[in-house]
Amino acid sequence: MSQWRLAGKIRRLSVWTLGLILGLVLLPSLATAKHRDEPRIVISEIGWAGSSVSTADEWLELANLGEGIVDLVGWSVWAVEDEPELLAEIEHGQIAPGGFFLIAHADSSHQFSAGQSVLRWTPDVVDQDLVLSNTRLALELRDSAGERVDEAGDGGAPFAGSSDGPVSLERILEDLDDGDEEDSWRPASLASGFDDGRPDLGTPTPSGRPILPALACRIVWAPGQAEAMVPIEPARSNGLPLPVTLTADGVVLPQTLAADGSAQVTLLRPASFGEQVLVAAVVSPLGLVSEESRPCLHTMQSRDLVITEVFPAPTGGQAEWVELTNQGTEPVALAGWQLDDDPDGGSVPYQFPAALSILPGASIVISGTDSSLALNNSGDQVILLDPTGSQVDAVTYGLARSGESWSRQTDVWAWAVPSPGQPNPIPPPPAEALFSVAAAPPVIVAQPAVGAPPQLSVETFVLGPRPEAGTRVIVDGIVSQPLGRYDDRLIVLASDSGEVALELQLPAGGVSEVAAGERLRVTGTVSRASTPRLLVGAVTDLERVGEGPPPHRQFAGIGRLLATVVAEGRLVVRDRERWLEGDGWAVQFSTRQGVRLPPMESGDAVTLAGIIVATDPYRIRVLDSREVTVVPAPLPEAEGGLAEFEVAVALGEPMPEPPTVPPDEPLTSVSGPVVASLPPLLAAVTGPTIQPYLYHSLVRLAGTVEAQRDQVRTLSAQVLAAQTTRPVATPSRISLLLAFLSSAGIIGVLLEWLWHSLASASPRFLR
């Protein structure tokens, strides 16, 4: 070997040695970077041992150390001992400055085999996926963008606390330090937030966001009545009673407060009857707001509504029907009215639609198909009941005549030619009848309630000037996500194209049978939420008007909030978050609580369907694991290297013969000096059995800047896999090795480039 070649190798080795030194110097600054910005929201207490009733009665508390209220919608808690695992996702909730937020495995009223949960207050979030390890605890709190905000534990046993008691693990907030350091925690010494008489130590504290009461609001307006009083119970914030404010159509209703926080709310006689949506709101002492819709049914009494015709024995496939007529001079709203055929049994009483009214002199026909009334041909009765349950009118008939109706003629009833919705004809003399007339099909002659709200499309509601909060509107659209799929209280209603969508919020306990693809006409109140949302007072406000395929769009880097999309791309994992990369675009994706994704790795081809829940950056929430398909990326081919090693370890078979690596093998890649310096480092963390495989894999992969990442990934995978044969050193030593390999490799590439640049500029530099 000439002296020039020898000098070149010495210079090259010097450059890479300098890179290694710089890499080690940079490590402390990288390790301490996380101390620079203290998070406002931290994990403050962990009940990892459960309770004195059940080890499953686990909980976790957050604290707000900032100066403002923080909306926690979309935040999540993850277990990161091994592969990240979602433990809880916050779908509703806020945390006040200086306040707390409680996440629990079970509700405070949950019954375990040994008794009820020991928690005194209702948790802010209940998620049965919240299962905390007693031996390997490592948690991460992530914000709505998926960024890590705080951590707790280092993957070993919990730093403090005990299952004897139990005693919770408490954060030292007065001298806040990183959550993965032992001196940041201490065992709890106080007991608060548990039921009386429990031995548990800890202070689980929910946010205190008020819980609104139920409201039974059903007013029957008598003729001439101008106003009515409605009682409402107080809201509760961790047991503290708080007065509730009610608004109607954006106007705050006057009320009289009692000492216990309850109130009597004054409602004025409405211009139109039917269901009115009241918005109940309350603010806690910490500034947390709760707002929900509450339906109030306005009905009226009248003596002007009478039964005028009954058709009990149809022919030719026709349906039975009953005709009602308004004989007064004012409209009659039918909300709360009923038709029955037997007060002591018979058919189920028919409830009139809340928005239906009859104008003066008009008639409506109620078909047996719609009402489920079953009129007997042998004789029956029909009873009309007002909203108070009082009988307003009734008619009885005997043996029915086929194809004829029992018809009111002023104050006389007789069998006659059917005339649904029309004035009743005078019947001919029965003995002279030469033929019968088939019954005409039932016709509904109904009028909408006075003052009907404006009707909008989904596009107009979302893209146009949005109506003011509290405004009553009607919106037509197609269900893209039915109740319980996107959220337990929300339905997603989309436009025909699927490009835009809005949320329909049902009242607490609301149940809806609507399915994806059904077209709905929805009557609701515009919410104050920033997300386009309608508050639906009752399930009866959802009217089915058709059906079709559920709308969705292909995602290509752009889309609107709440749109249902299908995205195809390659999986990329960044900072433990999954991203899908396509042609010139990237989108982050997560799952709804309880949904588990199939196994996938970086480079895999992934196709998924979900709903856009954020746009800066874009984020898709997967709602069903069956809507995700994964095509694994092809494995690299190797002889006696990484692939064979992984297969052998996975199958539990003897490992292949290690490759031969001659000591004088030339290392021509830019990463050669790093690989050449590895044997003593590998010996520090591995045994002799695995070292040749690691060395061979690194030599084979080293060669480009991209390969630097592959080197680290290869080393990590093989060292962890080798634990099945021989225990390795502590994670901290492995982490140090991987970190300086990565940093030194990148610095070495830069110094190598500088060396060659100077050499090309001045040939004398080579000497």
Side-chain angles (χ1 to χ4, degrees), residues 494-539:
S495 61
D496 288 2
S497 65
E499 182 179 0
V500 295
L502 58 87
E503 296 174 341
L504 305 177
Q505 179 177 324
L506 271 62
V511 179
S512 173
E513 301 295 332
V514 298
E518 288 192 286
R519 182 178 293 277
L520 298 182
R521 180 167 295 130
V522 183
T523 304
T525 302
V526 180
S527 171
R528 291 185 175 87
S530 57
T531 304
R533 180 183 298 171
L534 279 183
L535 304 176
V536 181
V539 178

Side-chain angles (χ1 to χ4, degrees), residues 571-573 576-580 587-589 597 600:
L571 174 67
V572 176
V573 179
R576 298 184 178 179
E577 294 293 347
R578 294 183 175 95
W579 291 75
L580 206 59
V587 61
Q588 187 181 0
F589 65 95
L597 292 174
M600 58 181 71

Side-chain angles (χ1 to χ4, degrees), residues 5 63 84 130 149 175 204 301 361-362 383-384 408 436 485 504 533 539 568 580 588 604 606 616 644 662 693 737:
R5 294 184 60 192
L130 185 72
V149 175
D175 186 19
Q301 294 176 306
I383 304 169
L384 179 62
R408 182 191 289 267
S436 63
R485 181 176 168 85
L504 305 177
R533 180 183 298 171
V539 178
E568 299 178 79
L580 206 59
Q588 187 181 0
D604 291 350
V606 177
D616 187 19
E644 290 185 42
Y693 294 94
L737 172 63

Side-chain angles (χ1 to χ4, degrees), residues 647-705:
V647 171
V649 172
L651 298 178
E653 299 175 352
M655 289 188 290
E657 289 297 322
T660 302
V661 184
D664 58 349
E665 179 182 0
L667 303 173
T668 57
S669 72
V670 294
S671 302
V674 177
V675 178
S677 63
L678 280 177
L681 298 172
L682 296 179
V685 294
T686 64
T689 305
I690 193 174
Q691 287 176 28
Y693 294 94
L694 302 182
Y695 182 82
H696 177 78
S697 296
L698 288 171
V699 171
R700 177 172 55 84
L701 293 173
T704 64
V705 176

Side-chain angles (χ1 to χ4, degrees), residues 197-275:
R198 296 296 182 183
D200 307 63
L201 287 180
T203 57
T205 306
S207 67
R209 188 182 186 192
I211 300 175
L212 288 164
L215 176 64
C217 181
R218 186 173 183 269
I219 304 174
V220 181
W221 295 90
Q225 183 181 355
E227 62 181 38
M229 304 297 289
V230 176
I232 183 170
E233 293 298 314
R236 297 284 173 178
S237 173
N238 292 350
L240 177 68
L242 298 173
V244 177
T245 299
L246 286 180
T247 60
D249 299 323
V251 178
V252 177
L253 301 177
Q255 60 180 350
T256 302
L257 285 174
D260 62 355
S262 62
Q264 293 285 333
V265 180
T266 302
L267 287 176
L268 300 179
R269 187 183 183 93
S272 60
F273 294 89
E275 188 170 79

Side-chain angles (χ1 to χ4, degrees), residues 182-196:
E182 185 171 0
D183 56 4
S184 299
W185 301 87
R186 63 191 174 197
S189 58
L190 300 176
S192 173
F194 298 118
D195 291 335
D196 294 337

